[in-house]
């Protein structure tokens, strides 16, 4: 393939295909790219952008100062540094800052100069027409009964087994006295937090239910009950977790050492999620979030407790932390505040100093493994519903999760007859 900008030969990225991208070709001279997208195989080419807004910041656990470099290739910076885990950050662009890598800046300016003036406007577009209408959208089409994403979807019976993590019914015992809250710790030092799950809506009868609102709060009693005792930190439900990655173990080792100095320990399931080759960035691959372990951070709720950042939403609207209580217990919490960054001084309209609002933390899972299970199950189901997959093709574990989720929602919202949209999303 020849570059349409400068005529040089392009090289194909050595990257496996994803749900959204089949393959990408890049020109090594002007850095123009051509990407094949999705099942319809549409090809797009990169538009021109000024050098200081074109590049993402390079992120890697193997770079001492990753924010200084520009990301130019799946595993390479613009100045030529290669790292096995290098990627572009979704949290900010690179360029124009005093701390930028001089070599990256020089290369960015050189690439900018190689783009002809006549190709700097209107160049980035699709090279083939849009896809033909999906035959599944044809008027009058009757979908298969088990096709997900339409009002008449019929879910097959869940295939329960002793190994299914999803319980067929809530465990026996007294109901939580306050289902809207959970505690971390025990006794008089226990920390009481508001509790809910924050995430896209999963509804087998609507393909668009996950789009709005973006982060609905879902009460814990609307989530499928899990056999939490079966989550022992080994991620047996995931499959092969792989060996420890040499470039990831130092990340958790530093966090664990700092916690040990405070008399706390990093749970094994958190360490496994970050360091095991099979689990490494499994949450990222299923979503737009990014695993970003960082800490320990002081708790805004007690000076002897600590937080460790686990996961970021792409625009930092939603961050997940592991909360470590001073008595040794822990849980996954979420917040809309990035506690790794100093917010700095804030001022009101008249120049007065405005104190920052208090940090709010919300309990969402009792452990990292339970959180990962729910996160991945929901992501898998969202993709299957969006793609109009067949319910009978779902993994038994995911079918059990969807069956339980739907059953819980039916208590609030009755099933709609065929041809009518549900009155409210299935939460």
């Amino acid at each position: 393939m020849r570059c349409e900008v400068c005529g040089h030969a392009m090289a194909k990225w050595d990257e496996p295909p994803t749900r959204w991208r089949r393959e990408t070709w890049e020109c090594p001279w002007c850095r123009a790219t051509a990407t094949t997208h999705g099942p319809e195989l549409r090809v797009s080419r990169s538009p021109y952008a000024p050098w200081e807004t074109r590049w993402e910041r390079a992120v890697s656990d193997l770079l001492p100062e990753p924010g200084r470099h520009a990301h130019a290739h799946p595993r390479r910076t613009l100045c030529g540094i290669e790292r096995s885990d290098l990627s572009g950050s979704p949290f900010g662009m690179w360029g124009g800052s005093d701390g930028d890598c001089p070599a990256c800046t020089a290369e960015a300016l050189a690439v900018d100069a190689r783009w002809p003036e006549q190709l700097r406007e209107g160049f980035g577009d699709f090279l083939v027409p849009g896809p033909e209408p999906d035959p599944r959208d044809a008027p009058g089409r009757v979908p298969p009964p088990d096709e997900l994403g339409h009002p008449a979807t019929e879910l097959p019976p869940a295939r329960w087994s002793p190994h299914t993590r999803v319980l067929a019914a809530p465990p026996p015992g007294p109901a939580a006295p306050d289902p809207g809250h959970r505690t971390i710790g025990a006794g008089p030092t226990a920390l009481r937090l508001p509790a809910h799950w924050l995430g896209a809506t999963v509804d087998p009868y609507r393909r668009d239910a996950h789009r709005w609102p973006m982060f609905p709060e879902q009460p814990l009693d609307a989530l499928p009950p899990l056999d939490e005792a079966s989550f022992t930190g080994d991620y047996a439900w995931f499959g092969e977790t792989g060996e420890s990655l040499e470039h990831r173990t130092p990340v958790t080792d530093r966090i664990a050492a700092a916690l040990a100095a405070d008399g706390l320990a990093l749970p094994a399931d958190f360490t496994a999620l970050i360091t095991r080759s099979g689990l490494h960035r499994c949450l990222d691959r299923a979503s737009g979030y990014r695993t970003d372990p960082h800490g320990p951070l002081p708790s805004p709720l007690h000076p002897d407790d600590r937080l460790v950042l686990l996961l970021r939403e792409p625009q930092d609207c939603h961050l997940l932390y592991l909360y470590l209580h001073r008595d040794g217990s822990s849980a996954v919490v979420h917040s809309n505040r990035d506690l790794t960054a100093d917010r700095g001084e804030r001022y009101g309209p008249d120049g007065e100093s405005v104190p920052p609002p208090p940090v709010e933390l919300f309990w969402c899972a009792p452990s990292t493994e339970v959180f990962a299970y729910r996160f991945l199950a929901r992501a898998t189901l969202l993709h299957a519903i969006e793609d109009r997959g067949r319910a009978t093709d779902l993994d038994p574990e995911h079918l059990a999760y969807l069956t339980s989720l739907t059953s819980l929602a039916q208590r609030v919202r009755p099933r709609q007859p065929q041809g009518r949209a549900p009155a409210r999303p299935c939460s």
Side-chain angles (χ1 to χ4, degrees), residues 177-232:
D178 185 0
H181 291 79
R182 289 292 187 273
T183 59
I184 307 176
T189 65
L191 179 67
R192 181 173 177 269
L193 293 176
H196 57 249
W197 184 273
L198 194 69
T201 300
V202 180
D203 186 340
Y205 311 118
R206 292 178 58 197
R207 293 179 61 214
D208 62 348
H210 67 283
R211 297 174 185 169
W212 304 104
M214 292 300 293
F215 299 114
E217 296 179 3
Q218 300 169 14
L220 298 184
D221 56 6
L223 302 180
L226 302 180
D227 180 11
E228 294 181 0
S230 67
F231 294 90
T232 60

Side-chain angles (χ1 to χ4, degrees), residues 150-152 416-422:
H150 67 88
Q416 301 295 313
Q418 185 172 0
R420 292 179 57 192

